[in-house]
Amino acid sequence: MTMTKVYKKTSGNGSLCLYLGRRDFVDHVERIDPVDGVLKIDPSALNGRKVWVQLACAFRYGREDLDVIGVSFRKDIWIKRIQMYPFEGTKPPNTPMQDALLKKAGDQGHPFTFDIPVHLPCSVSLQPAPEDAGKPCGVDYEVKAYIASEEDETDEKVDKKDTCRLIIRKIQYAPNELAAGPKTDLNKQFITADKPIHMEASIEKELYYHGDPIPIKVKVNNETSKVVKKIKISIHQITDVLLYSSDKYNKCVLNEEFGDQINANSTFEKEYKVTPLLANNKEKRGLALDGKLKDEDTNLASSTILLPNMDKQMQGLVVSYKIKVTLMMGGGLLGSLTLSDITAELPLVLMAPKPSEVTDINLE
């Protein structure tokens, strides 16, 4: 694979130029790709000041236009800074990506590398309503270079023209080893019937890729005199917002009804294929999406995979999915459930496939 795109941001005064060869950094659960870039520095306009580059992971939990009572709408989860000019410390060996970027940046290029701790959250955002302004609620990562007299810019106002920044994403891909899918069995006994209805629902794999059809097998043994009028399948995204409060969003991202009727004292077996897509959920405020880069499309948020004993509070947003299979017994209104309906639930892991490895880097 040949990499041809360079992400570049220049400060307003032209003294700094940030170069990255990619903006997606993979969380492999046990380790995370290092963030490797190059900063071009023109020292002629520094006037004795210094240059830092920082990587910050932050949780944004309010719209900027609502920040009128002094409540911070941004909380830094983790922040790391490197003094780039004059340089202090020891430089690690350059990565192939940095060697390629240094050819672009020239003699004034300075490589930098950040290691992201494994306990930090992945990039994720909550879908705003169409009328919402400002950046959406969620977790984002930002590489920023700035000129200042002191390292911590909170104590001195850094002029906007003395900074340049790029948003990056920390993302998880589906693991190579996939476990077998879950299965659920359910018996429903009605007061008016001697024998029950038995339902079995299952999926072949525990994990499916975004945009791929999900085959759900449904088996029913109806030993009652009642009739199943139709079958409903829904998929729900559950997002736990952990950092600033204990909110929980439960959003239905797919809801389909099938007119299969199961008569009294009969058996039934069928496989249904359903595909949850962001394209069908564009209007749902609060829906979790994979971290979005400006002007780039995204998808429903991937399921959060955590290491054992990992502090969930640090994650900001934890996303999971479940499938509901409902036998609709009554002739109620479209989509409405009745007390006699039977619902089985299955856990679902939804993620993106791992892209092929970069084997050759050419930024010419």
Side-chain angles (χ1 to χ4, degrees), residues 30 67 92 132 150 223 225 291 295 302:
E30 298 88 5
D67 184 31
D132 287 349
E150 298 299 329
E223 297 184 85
S225 59
D295 301 328
S302 296

Side-chain angles (χ1 to χ4, degrees), residues 2 11 17 30 44 48 61 108 121 132 150 157 161 164 172 203-204 214 235 287-288 310 312 351:
T2 300
S11 63
C17 190
E30 298 88 5
S44 62
Y61 52 93
Q108 294 181 328
D132 287 349
E150 298 299 329
K157 182 70 175 170
K161 66 178 173 51
C164 52
Q172 283 180 327
I203 52 177
E204 284 182 359
I214 301 167
I235 296 179
L287 192 66
M310 190 177 278
K312 282 181 73 174
M351 298 188 80

Side-chain angles (χ1 to χ4, degrees), residues 54-56 74 140-144 165-168:
Q54 75 173 32
L55 175 60
R74 181 184 166 93
D140 65 32
Y141 287 79
E142 181 185 75
V143 180
K144 180 171 83 169
R165 58 186 76 202
L166 280 168
I167 297 290
I168 63 170

Side-chain angles (χ1 to χ4, degrees), residues 94-156:
N94 288 353
T95 64
M97 180 72 78
Q98 287 170 326
D99 285 335
L101 291 171
L102 283 166
K103 290 178 184 175
K104 287 276 185 188
D107 294 341
Q108 294 181 328
H110 301 262
F112 60 86
T113 303
F114 290 102
D115 291 314
I116 303 175
V118 293
H119 65 269
L120 292 184
C122 286
S123 301
V124 63
S125 62
L126 296 183
Q127 182 165 264
E131 69 274 11
D132 287 349
K135 294 181 180 178
C137 172
V139 173
D140 65 32
Y141 287 79
E142 181 185 75
V143 180
K144 180 171 83 169
Y146 61 95
I147 303 167
S149 300
E150 298 299 329
E151 175 181 351
D152 190 348
E153 64 176 280
T154 55
D155 296 326
E156 63 167 322

Side-chain angles (χ1 to χ4, degrees), residues 24-214:
D24 284 346
F25 297 86
V26 179
D27 177 351
H28 303 272
V29 183
E30 298 88 5
R31 65 178 180 85
I32 300 161
D33 290 347
V35 178
D36 50 351
V38 165
L39 181 64
K40 184 177 180 180
I41 303 170
D42 178 1
S44 62
L46 297 182
N47 298 323
R49 294 173 299 165
K50 301 171 184 176
V51 176
W52 280 270
V53 64
Q54 75 173 32
L55 175 60
C57 169
F59 184 66
R60 190 181 305 279
Y61 52 93
R63 285 162 40 201
E64 294 184 32
D65 56 345
L66 298 183
D67 184 31
V68 291
I69 53 172
V71 178
S72 174
F73 54 84
R74 181 184 166 93
K75 179 179 176 64
D76 285 324
I77 299 173
W78 177 85
I79 193 163
K80 182 82 179 285
R81 297 184 182 93
I82 301 169
Q83 183 173 315
M84 297 296 293
Y85 191 90
F87 184 79
E88 292 183 352
T90 56
K91 289 186 179 180
N94 288 353
T95 64
M97 180 72 78
Q98 287 170 326
D99 285 335
L101 291 171
L102 283 166
K103 290 178 184 175
K104 287 276 185 188
D107 294 341
Q108 294 181 328
H110 301 262
F112 60 86
T113 303
F114 290 102
D115 291 314
I116 303 175
V118 293
H119 65 269
L120 292 184
C122 286
S123 301
V124 63
S125 62
L126 296 183
Q127 182 165 264
E131 69 274 11
D132 287 349
K135 294 181 180 178
C137 172
V139 173
D140 65 32
Y141 287 79
E142 181 185 75
V143 180
K144 180 171 83 169
Y146 61 95
I147 303 167
S149 300
E150 298 299 329
E151 175 181 351
D152 190 348
E153 64 176 280
T154 55
D155 296 326
E156 63 167 322
K157 182 70 175 170
V158 175
D159 202 311
K160 200 171 181 180
K161 66 178 173 51
D162 290 335
T163 67
C164 52
R165 58 186 76 202
L166 280 168
I167 297 290
I168 63 170
R169 290 192 296 194
K170 172 179 172 285
I171 48 178
Q172 283 180 327
Y173 290 118
N176 294 324
E177 299 294 321
L178 301 183
K183 183 171 86 170
T184 183
D185 288 284
L186 209 60
N187 274 312
K188 172 88 170 189
Q189 184 78 47
F190 294 103
I191 298 172
T192 56
D194 295 334
K195 293 184 177 180
I197 283 188
H198 176 77
M199 172 168 59
E200 182 184 293
S202 62
I203 52 177
E204 284 182 359
K205 305 179 293 183
E206 64 166 354
L207 185 150
Y208 285 87
Y209 298 147
H210 295 294
D212 282 0
I214 301 167

